[in-house]
Amino acid sequence: MRRLLKFLHTMGAIGMMGAMAALLVTLSFTPEPTSLPEYASIRAAMGGIAERLFLPSMAVVLVSGLVSMAVTPAFHNSGWVWMKLATGIITFEGSLLAVQGPMQREAALSARALAGEIDVGALASSMQAEWGSLWVLLFVAAVNVVLGVWRPKFSRAKKAETARSVG
């Protein structure tokens, strides 16, 4: 069970970080909204990446990490695991608020603009925020990987032992 969870967690992290990198690359090739057909096409692709790769990968990472924490007694007092949980929550919330929602919203808006339902001026208002959010989330995800590989030795049990031996 432990190896399966580790495999799922690793594969989910690869998918999630790969999706973030793909979104950054696609965002860099996004034309101005004045080139509406191209803009709508790129934004539809970004919405698809966010919905079909990013979100499922994030769910696999989150669920496998939480289950792993619950079923592995050694993780209960490991400080690095609790740090991963904290950064995982930041990643999860930030992903939904700053990536998933805006990507899908912009894809829908660009489709509506292409259909002539809304003005082109309503597009690309969140591009700068998307750039920043993706870079921050990619950094936090990388910190999570570092914590999982490096596994620094700070734990509540050791701090309590040290406090007792000093006092």
Side-chain angles (χ1 to χ4, degrees):
M1 172 77 149
R2 185 173 175 198
R3 286 186 180 189
L4 174 64
L5 289 170
K6 186 174 185 174
F7 173 77
L8 290 173
H9 196 69
T10 302
M11 294 306 291
I14 290 167
M16 190 174 98
M17 292 178 76
M20 283 191 268
L23 288 169
L24 281 167
V25 169
T26 333
L27 200 56
S28 71
F29 284 101
T30 303
E32 291 296 318
T34 52
S35 305
L36 193 53
E38 294 86 8
Y39 181 83
S41 178
I42 292 281
R43 292 310 272 194
M46 292 173 74
I49 292 169
E51 180 182 336
R52 295 186 182 123
L53 180 58
F54 182 76
L55 189 62
S57 296
M58 183 181 58
V60 168
V61 169
L62 185 65
V63 170
S64 63
L66 291 173
V67 171
S68 185
M69 278 185 72
V71 301
T72 309
F75 289 168
H76 296 172
N77 285 325
S78 296
W80 67 270
V81 174
W82 291 99
M83 289 282 293
K84 276 182 67 85
L85 177 64
T87 56
I89 290 169
I90 291 168
T91 303
F92 174 69
E93 287 185 13
S95 298
L96 292 178
L97 295 174
V99 177
Q100 187 69 25
M103 294 285 172
Q104 288 183 317
R105 188 176 326 110
E106 193 69 20
L109 283 175
S110 62
R112 288 181 59 203
L114 194 58
E117 296 175 15
I118 63 170
D119 184 40
V120 176
L123 302 175
S125 61
S126 65
M127 253 169 108
Q128 203 61 25
E130 287 172 296
W131 268 105
S133 299
L134 281 166
W135 278 112
V136 168
L137 290 171
L138 200 52
F139 174 78
V140 173
V143 167
N144 249 338
V145 171
V146 168
L147 286 170
V149 171
W150 180 44
R151 295 183 175 190
K153 303 290 183 214
F154 45 85
S155 70
R156 294 181 297 191
K158 280 189 177 183
K159 287 181 183 174
E161 266 180 42
T162 306
R164 276 184 265 165
S165 65
V166 171

